[in-house]
Amino acid sequence: MSGRFPEEFLFGSASAAYQVEGAYKEDGKGDSIWDNWVRMEGKTYKGTNGDVATDHYHRFREDVRLMKEMGLKAYRFSVSWTRILPEGRGRIEKKGLDFYHQLIDELLEHGIEPVLTIYHWDLPQTLQDEYGGWESRRIIDDFTEYAKVLFEAFGKKVKYWIVLNEPNIFTQLGYLLALHPPGKKDMKLYLKTYHITALAHAHVIKAYKEGGYDGLIGSSIAYTPGYAASDEEADQEARRRYYDTVCWWIMDVFYKGEYPAWGYEEFKRRGIAPEVTEEDTAILKEGAALSDFIGINYYQSAMLAHNPIDGVGLTDFNVSGEKGDFRESGVPGLYRQVFNPNVEYTDWDWSIDPDGLRVALVEISERYEKPVFISENGIGAFDELDEDKVHDDYRIEYLRGHIRACHESMKEGVDLIGYCTWSFTDLLSWLNGYQKRYGFVYIDFKDEKLPRIKKDSFSFYEEVIRTRGENC
Ligand code: BGP
């Protein structure tokens, strides 16, 4: 790579509360929908859960020491809503606040910038039971109140805030594919809940700005750019439809305050468009204008082809790690996602496409004219422990390609604030258990002491950070 990343560029790494903390019943924490979902037969890979996870709750000091050793500039983590408000609203659990104060202080003392995600999928069970969680507009107030508690507690220390993690994924998996709680399959409900997440985002952004805090705030969306499978008009049209009903659909409502016109009309024609009132549009536009950056999580790109009205529907995906299980999936009459022969795939059949990240960054920054923060990027793999070493050269290769793509995009004018890998240590994969690993630090889950072992990629990223990407 020629040239360096700017001095202030945030080379970081990310995690989420449920995937690392464990201590699921300690210090007054209330139940989240994930605490219960994992206990239902057949919902997660071999019934794995986050009861203990990496035990980060008790071992965060050791983990932060490793981050310091690596030279990490930023650590992105999420707050567990039910540690702070065990019933979802009302009574505040001080021990929950104390834990995050300690974590944040530890990071700051070691010169690591905390990047705080307010919501990474672990909704209080009480709110799901009371009004269906994200199915009801009532969540907007409860979520905003919860966010305000965090702003008040940590607003002086934390300068980077991510309101929602991948609202498009948790609503899709929860309401369209029935793979996450509450396990429903209903396209109209998916579009409705997604709309409610956008409203919640806008209200929280507004509350942050009204509080006069000195920091930057945005939400992180899982972004999968798409290519047309051929020059044929039908495939080109499928790509346009994919953008109008997926890419621009999920992004515009957060960052422009309105849906793409073609997509909205199409969903209306199908009788499934979300209700959008005038007040909605006003607050959405305000939230969009006040958002400081666009967070994106990028893992892969999509290849799109024509899908007739009686064509392929949505299918679930590979959770076994048995490569070669790629299945076409799509929305009849709109598009179909097909195998891309030009790129490699991971063991879970996710395409590996560094240039897709450059494409994504450039198109997002041109469309929304805001800074971008990559809040997740990484490769899930079966890592092997070999005499206390893990030779994860495929991870080094993957990250190198994507870091170069970041640099390329900056040369093309993208205002990129930072890049967080997923993840720092190995952790729980929601549907794939502990066998799908992402970290720089291997955790031996078979050993109850949960030892931390640095992988080869640890030194790679250490050097990237030290040289600001110069030798990458
Ligand atoms: C993102 C989530 C993360 C993480 C990651 C890897 O969608 O924000 O929480 O899980 O994907 O996904 P997986 O564990 O399914 O491989």
Side-chain angles (χ1 to χ4, degrees), residues 15-16 19 76 120-121 165-166 169 173 180 222 297 299 317 319 348 350 376 378-380 422 427-433 436 438:
S15 72
Q19 297 175 277
R76 172 182 175 229
H120 202 127
W121 307 356
N165 178 67
E166 297 189 352
I169 299 297
L173 297 190
H180 280 195
N297 294 351
Y299 288 89
F317 42 82
V319 290
W348 278 262
W350 292 22
E376 284 179 32
I379 183 170
W422 185 265
L427 39 69
L428 172 69
S429 168
W430 303 93
L431 298 178
N432 311 279
K436 191 179 188 187
Y438 280 92

Side-chain angles (χ1 to χ4, degrees), residues 188-214:
K188 187 171 180 179
L189 198 51
Y190 151 61
L191 293 169
K192 177 185 171 187
T193 52
Y194 190 69
H195 185 65
I196 293 173
T197 68
L199 292 168
H201 160 89
H203 279 273
V204 168
I205 298 274
K206 196 174 168 201
Y208 184 74
K209 295 296 170 185
E210 281 173 357
Y213 298 99
D214 168 29

Side-chain angles (χ1 to χ4, degrees), residues 269-290:
R269 200 178 58 75
R270 294 178 180 220
I272 55 174
E275 184 202 0
V276 183
T277 67
E278 269 176 34
E279 295 82 58
D280 288 359
T281 305
I283 179 76
L284 288 168
K285 286 203 177 275
E286 211 178 337
L290 293 172

Side-chain angles (χ1 to χ4, degrees), residues 263-471:
Y264 194 83
E265 278 313 306
E266 176 63 15
F267 286 144
K268 206 162 129 192
R269 200 178 58 75
R270 294 178 180 220
I272 55 174
E275 184 202 0
V276 183
T277 67
E278 269 176 34
E279 295 82 58
D280 288 359
T281 305
I283 179 76
L284 288 168
K285 286 203 177 275
E286 211 178 337
L290 293 172
S291 295
D292 295 302
F293 62 83
I294 297 176
I296 64 159
N297 294 351
Y298 174 84
Y299 288 89
Q300 56 178 324
S301 60
M303 181 146 270
L304 304 153
H306 173 63
N307 196 13
I309 199 71
D310 57 352
V312 181
L314 290 161
T315 46
D316 48 12
F317 42 82
N318 181 342
V319 290
S320 67
E322 279 165 41
K323 197 171 176 166
D325 197 19
F326 179 92
R327 277 164 271 173
E328 291 193 357
S329 177
V331 178
L334 295 180
Y335 60 85
R336 167 171 63 101
Q337 197 175 325
V338 299
F339 187 79
N340 182 350
N342 311 319
V343 298
E344 294 289 323
Y345 280 79
T346 73
D347 285 335
W348 278 262
D349 292 305
W350 292 22
S351 68
I352 302 176
D353 180 18
D355 195 53
L357 176 56
R358 185 194 58 78
V359 169
L361 290 168
V362 171
E363 66 192 19
I364 286 169
S365 121
E366 279 174 359
R367 189 168 175 96
Y368 305 103
E369 298 179 326
K370 281 189 190 288
V372 187
F373 192 149
I374 300 168
S375 41
E376 284 179 32
N377 172 243
I379 183 170
F382 293 105
D383 294 338
E384 293 216 3
L385 189 59
D386 177 9
E387 292 176 2
D388 268 7
K389 299 249 180 297
V390 179
H391 303 300
D392 55 344
D393 42 315
Y394 38 87
R395 180 164 294 108
I396 294 175
E397 211 39 48
Y398 180 98
L399 296 176
R400 177 181 283 128
H402 289 78
I403 293 166
R404 284 182 182 165
C406 292
H407 199 254
E408 277 302 310
S409 80
M410 290 166 90
K411 285 201 266 180
E412 289 181 44
V414 174
D415 181 359
L416 189 60
I417 302 174
Y419 168 83
C420 285
T421 68
W422 185 265
S423 51
F424 184 69
T425 62
D426 289 339
L427 39 69
L428 172 69
S429 168
W430 303 93
L431 298 178
N432 311 279
Y434 291 97
Q435 61 161 357
K436 191 179 188 187
R437 296 169 181 272
Y438 280 92
F440 295 118
V441 176
Y442 184 92
I443 296 190
D444 188 352
F445 292 103
K446 290 203 194 89
D447 181 336
E448 61 177 37
K449 292 201 194 95
L450 298 173
R452 272 78 169 144
I453 299 155
K454 288 179 266 172
K455 304 180 191 176
D456 289 356
S457 56
F458 187 99
S459 337
F460 162 77
Y461 202 46
E462 185 269 326
E463 191 185 341
V464 167
I465 301 170
R466 191 165 38 78
T467 60
R468 301 212 310 271
E470 194 163 34
N471 307 323

